[in-house]
């Protein structure tokens, strides 16, 4: 019996029993198999109305043509990162302060370009200085008031004035992605759903259920006041601001204006910028974030011209940073070069460093990137290098001869140790061999590293071969040698050994950098360059840094090429040189 006849008979029996009959399908609707028909789609699930409304997406604008920055103090600068709480305590309460930095400015730069007994830096990056809930300062409570542990707004202005006398520019951490839960904005938004600050943060009636970008971290946090959730990508104590709200952006502009016009800063290090604007589960590197940064740059150019910006895109490299150029911030930290400098010093192998440096130089526009070794979020470089001063000197040599704007973490210049947790990579600066490293006359907020009696500024100052004096020499060379400050980067091909060798050139100012990271001396090696715009001729090489095993042989450049040049027969183990090329 046909299937249709059976269905009709079933319907007649159901009708006789007083039961409703199902309408039989027409032949066109009858499935031919158990498989889902190819001409239908599964229904779109209905979005739970208790979830946040999905905002509209933007259409990215055309990509701007890469451009160099206008001339400014950042050309050839060397920046020094300071955690104020740990640098120097001026009043004996165990906490570093702004007056403590003022007291130590001559150590950083005495303002006399003819002396070399200072470190020589000309830029200071201060980790957060605004009033905050935690010791680290990244959970802001008041954007317009200096952290009371550090001093007052007047103290800050005095620091800027004293730094300017010495040719030092001050930039500060600008933490815009989030505030503290203790910030009055959040407290009002938390307790009053009708508050004008409610839309300054992100809320959901239920937990949206997705996790964050840091290894499945929780990003939606239960409100302590009512049955709802708020968004904070880092942790529950730091709720994210909602930069889709024009009022929040206007406040960010007001904060920037205050610190530049009222407090005198030269610029900002912008924290966690890749998380500024989210789109549901997409929580970093959104088109909306890029557009916000473009608008922020336009605001600075229009209202606060000359304000410098450097952005933190954690683990930034040429691939992940590409979308942030060229018309957003000025510079970005380049994490891959940092990783490979430390890796070369540790392993003795230079190939990955040379590759990373070349990639950054060619793919990131006009050297608008900032190399470093490690920072306040990472184990200190001296710990990574096994407390080896020779390796630390090689890392410093590479850092301060690379393209870009180098940053140095406080204490790096004396080889301070530090392994996480974070408090232990931000320990007090080791000034002397006296109690607590000369950091405070009281009891320090955090104990210094145990090696402070033998590793401190006082002892290294007296030793001409110390790491501190190597940093002093390299920083002064970087700033005062145009080739190192802003020059082109031209890799050399080394034959015979895995060494780092490259030319830095600015006009007629030319230097060659050669570094043997290996624990063994090189065998005979040569350096070659297939072609360049270097002027032809025969040149003499004069050492600016390091003592070569023999006077370097003359260098011949023909048609822009260098053919198997051997400056000397070998390079001793873990040794490097900066050689000036002269007619």
């Amino acid at each position: 019996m046909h299937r249709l006849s059976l269905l009709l008979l079933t319907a007649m029996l159901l009708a006789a029993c007083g039961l409703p009959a199902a309408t039989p399908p027409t032949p066109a609707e009858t499935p031919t198999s158990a498989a889902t028909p190819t001409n239908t789609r599964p229904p779109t699930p209905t979005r739970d109305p208790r979830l946040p409304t999905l905002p509209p997406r933007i259409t990215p604008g055309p990509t701007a043509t890469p451009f160099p920055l206008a001339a400014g103090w950042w050309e050839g600068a060397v920046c020094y990162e300071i955690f104020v709480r740990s640098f120097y305590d001026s009043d004996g309460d165990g906490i570093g302060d702004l007056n403590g930095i003022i007291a130590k400015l001559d150590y950083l730069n005495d303002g006399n370009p003819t002396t070399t007994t200072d470190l020589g830096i000309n830029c200071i990056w201060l980790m957060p200085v605004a009033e905050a809930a935690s010791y680290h300062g990244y959970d802001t409570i008041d954007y317009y008031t200096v952290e009371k542990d550090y001093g007052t707004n007047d103290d800050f202005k005095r620091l800027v004035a004293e730094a300017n006398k010495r040719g030092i520019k001050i930039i500060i951490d600008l933490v815009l992605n989030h505030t503290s839960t203790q910030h009055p904005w959040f407290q009002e938004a938390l307790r009053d759903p009708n508050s004008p600050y409610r839309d300054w943060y992100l809320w959901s009636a239920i937990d949206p259920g997705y996790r964050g970008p840091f290894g499945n971290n929780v990003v939606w946090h239960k409100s302590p006041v009512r049955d709802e959730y708020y968004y904070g990508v880092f942790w529950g104590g730091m709720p994210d601001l909602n930069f889709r709200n024009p009022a929040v952006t206007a406040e960010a502009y007001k904060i920037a204006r205050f610190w530049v016009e009222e407090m005198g800063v030269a610029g900002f290090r912008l924290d966690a910028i890749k998380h500024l604007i989210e789109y549901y589960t997409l929580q970093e590197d959104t088109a909306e974030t890029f557009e916000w940064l473009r608008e922020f740059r336009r605001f600075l150019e229009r209202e606060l011209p000359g304000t410098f910006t450097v952005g933190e895109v954690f683990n930034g490299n040429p691939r992940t940073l590409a979308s942030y150029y060229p018309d957003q911030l000025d510079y970005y930290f380049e994490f891959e070069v940092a990783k490979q400098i430390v890796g070369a010093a540790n392993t003795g192998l230079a190939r990955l460093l040379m590759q990373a440096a070349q990639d950054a130089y060619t793919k990131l526009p006009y050297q608008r990137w900032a190399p470093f070794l490690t920072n306040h979020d990472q184990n200190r470089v001296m710990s990574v290098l096994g407390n080896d001063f020779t390796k630390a000197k090689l890392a410093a040599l590479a850092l301060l001869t690379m393209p870009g704007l180098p940053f140095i973490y406080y204490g790096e210049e004396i080889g301070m140790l530090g392994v996480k947790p974070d408090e232990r990579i931000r320990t007090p600066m080791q000034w002397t061999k006296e109690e607590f490293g000369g950091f405070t006359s009281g009891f320090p907020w955090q104990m210094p590293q145990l090696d402070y009696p033998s590793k401190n500024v006082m002892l290294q100052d007296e030793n001409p071969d110390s790491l501190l004096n190597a940093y002093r020499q390299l920083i002064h060379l970087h700033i005062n040698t145009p080739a190192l400050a802003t020059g082109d980067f031209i890799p050399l091909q080394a034959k015979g050994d895995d060494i780092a060798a490259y030319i830095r050139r600015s006009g007629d100012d030319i230097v060659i950098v050669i570094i043997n990271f290996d624990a063994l001396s090189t065998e005979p090696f040569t350096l070659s360059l297939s072609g360049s715009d270097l002027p032809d001729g025969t040149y003499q090489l004069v050492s600016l840094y390091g003592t070569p095993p023999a006077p370097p042989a003359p260098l011949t450049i023909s048609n822009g090429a260098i053919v198997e040049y051997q400056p000397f027969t070998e390079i001793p183990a873990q040794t490097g040189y900066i050689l000036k090329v002269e007619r």
Side-chain angles (χ1 to χ4, degrees):
M1 186 178 292
H2 294 294
R3 184 170 179 269
L4 185 57
S5 299
L6 285 172
L7 288 170
L8 290 172
L9 178 60
T10 301
M12 292 171 62
L13 292 172
L14 288 172
C17 297
L19 298 173
T23 303
T26 63
E29 294 173 332
T30 303
T32 57
S33 71
T36 302
T38 57
N39 62 341
T40 63
R41 293 180 180 178
T44 302
T46 303
R47 183 174 173 81
D48 193 316
R50 296 171 297 173
L51 291 171
T53 302
L54 287 179
R57 299 307 307 269
I58 69 166
T59 301
T63 302
T65 301
F67 57 87
L69 298 182
W73 61 262
W74 44 84
E75 290 187 330
V78 176
C79 288
Y80 188 84
E81 178 188 359
I82 291 179
F83 182 39
V84 180
R85 187 171 296 271
S86 285
F87 198 60
Y88 186 65
D89 171 22
S90 70
D91 57 13
D93 66 355
I95 296 174
D97 47 50
L98 298 173
N99 286 326
I101 297 176
I102 294 173
K104 295 296 186 181
L105 281 176
D106 283 348
Y107 165 78
L108 298 173
N109 189 327
D110 62 12
N112 184 346
T114 65
T115 62
T116 57
T117 54
D118 56 351
L119 200 57
I121 59 93
N122 50 15
C123 159
I124 293 173
W125 156 28
L126 296 177
M127 289 169 62
V129 294
E131 186 70 29
S134 301
Y135 85 95
H136 50 70
Y138 285 97
D139 46 359
T140 311
I141 292 176
D142 182 353
Y143 284 98
Y144 300 95
T145 302
V146 165
E147 167 60 52
K148 61 181 179 296
D149 288 342
Y150 297 166
T152 66
N153 284 22
D154 285 341
D155 291 333
F156 187 92
K157 293 176 184 178
R158 186 164 55 255
L159 169 62
V160 170
E162 290 297 322
N164 284 337
K165 290 178 184 178
R166 295 162 173 81
I168 302 173
K169 299 296 183 181
I170 302 286
I171 66 175
I172 64 166
D173 241 315
L174 188 59
V175 187
L176 295 179
N177 180 70
H178 48 264
T179 69
S180 168
T181 51
Q182 298 180 37
H183 196 293
W185 302 338
F186 185 78
Q187 284 295 308
E188 185 172 327
L190 185 70
R191 301 177 192 290
D192 181 5
N194 297 315
S195 165
Y197 292 111
R198 180 72 175 180
D199 195 39
W200 285 41
Y201 298 90
L202 303 167
W203 305 89
S204 178
I206 60 173
D207 184 353
Y210 60 85
R211 296 300 181 107
F214 314 132
N216 205 32
N217 60 302
V218 173
V219 294
W220 287 96
H221 309 280
K222 186 73 168 61
S223 165
V225 174
R226 58 177 53 83
D227 190 18
E228 64 180 358
Y229 294 79
Y230 62 90
Y231 179 82
V233 70
F234 287 101
W235 74 291
M238 299 195 305
D240 277 40
L241 285 163
N242 176 20
F243 279 100
R244 295 181 185 274
N245 182 344
V248 179
T249 293
E251 186 68 23
Y253 291 0
K254 180 181 174 184
I255 293 166
R257 183 185 297 279
F258 169 79
W259 283 98
V260 173
E261 293 185 343
E262 297 296 323
M263 304 297 278
V265 303
F268 304 105
R269 179 262 190 185
L270 279 87
D271 178 65
I273 56 170
K274 68 178 180 178
H275 303 292
L276 283 177
I277 301 180
E278 309 77 14
Y279 184 81
Y280 194 47
T281 59
L282 184 59
Q283 299 166 78
E284 54 189 21
D285 304 324
T286 64
E288 291 82 358
T289 288
F290 303 145
E291 188 57 32
W292 192 93
L293 291 170
R294 290 186 185 100
E295 289 297 329
F296 185 67
R297 181 190 186 88
R298 294 182 189 118
F299 159 74
L300 294 177
E301 290 178 330
R302 182 177 66 250
E303 304 289 338
L304 305 169
T307 301
F308 172 81
T309 56
V310 57
E312 182 220 16
V313 178
F314 197 80
N315 285 332
N317 57 52
R319 181 182 60 80
T320 57
L321 290 175
S323 299
Y324 288 89
Y325 289 95
D327 53 349
Q328 297 171 45
L329 303 184
D330 296 334
Y331 281 72
Y332 301 89
F333 291 103
E334 216 292 2
F335 282 74
E336 185 63 23
V337 170
K339 173 184 175 182
Q340 297 305 339
I341 291 176
V342 178
N346 239 345
T347 66
L349 303 176
R351 287 189 179 89
L352 293 179
L353 168 58
M354 292 299 296
Q355 179 181 327
Q358 179 69 351
D359 283 350
Y361 180 75
T362 57
K363 296 176 182 178
L364 303 179
Y366 296 98
Q367 298 188 44
R368 287 171 46 190
W369 46 279
F372 61 101
L373 297 181
T374 57
N375 63 24
H376 64 277
D377 286 325
Q378 301 167 305
N379 291 339
R380 279 188 173 270
V381 63
M382 196 61 163
S383 292
V384 179
L385 296 177
N387 202 23
D388 187 317
F389 278 89
T390 301
K391 291 180 178 180
K393 286 184 181 180
L394 294 178
L397 173 58
L399 171 66
L400 290 160
T401 56
M402 283 284 148
L405 171 57
F407 277 72
I408 297 167
Y409 187 35
Y410 81 95
E412 203 165 81
E413 73 275 17
I414 60 171
M416 279 177 56
L417 297 170
V419 176
K420 287 190 175 230
D422 286 350
E423 292 88 342
R424 299 307 296 166
I425 57 177
R426 305 168 188 175
T427 53
M429 180 69 175
Q430 296 165 199
W431 294 103
T432 72
K433 62 182 179 181
E434 297 167 354
E435 188 177 33
F436 307 132
F439 163 72
T440 179
S441 60
F443 193 82
W445 78 275
Q446 185 77 199
M447 293 299 292
Q449 300 294 333
L450 295 176
D451 63 353
Y452 75 81
S454 60
K455 184 188 293 177
N456 56 67
V457 171
M458 181 181 72
L459 292 179
Q460 292 196 29
D461 183 61
E462 300 167 353
N463 178 3
D465 294 325
S466 67
L467 180 60
L468 172 59
N469 280 311
Y471 265 92
R472 285 170 170 164
Q473 186 178 359
L474 288 166
I475 292 169
H476 281 274
L477 277 172
H478 179 97
I479 290 173
N480 296 313
T481 307
L484 294 174
T486 58
D488 298 336
F489 177 77
I490 306 170
L492 295 172
Q493 182 179 359
K495 181 180 180 181
D497 288 276
D498 184 26
I499 63 175
Y502 43 94
I503 292 174
R504 300 294 311 279
R505 179 199 178 191
S506 177
D508 293 333
D509 190 49
I510 305 172
V511 300
I512 295 179
V513 179
I514 308 174
I515 308 174
N516 175 20
F517 289 101
D518 203 342
L520 300 175
S521 63
T522 63
E523 296 178 356
F525 70 97
T526 61
L527 303 175
S528 298
L529 177 65
S530 59
S532 69
D533 61 356
L534 291 169
D536 290 352
T538 299
Y539 299 86
Q540 303 299 316
L541 273 62
V542 178
S543 181
L544 299 178
Y545 179 87
T547 304
L555 167 68
T556 299
I557 301 176
S558 178
N559 297 319
I562 298 172
V563 180
E564 296 190 349
Y565 169 60
Q566 187 178 66
F568 23 76
T569 57
E570 68 172 14
I571 308 175
Q574 296 178 312
T575 304
Y577 313 104
I578 303 174
L579 306 173
K580 186 173 179 60
V581 179
E582 296 182 340
R583 288 280 187 181

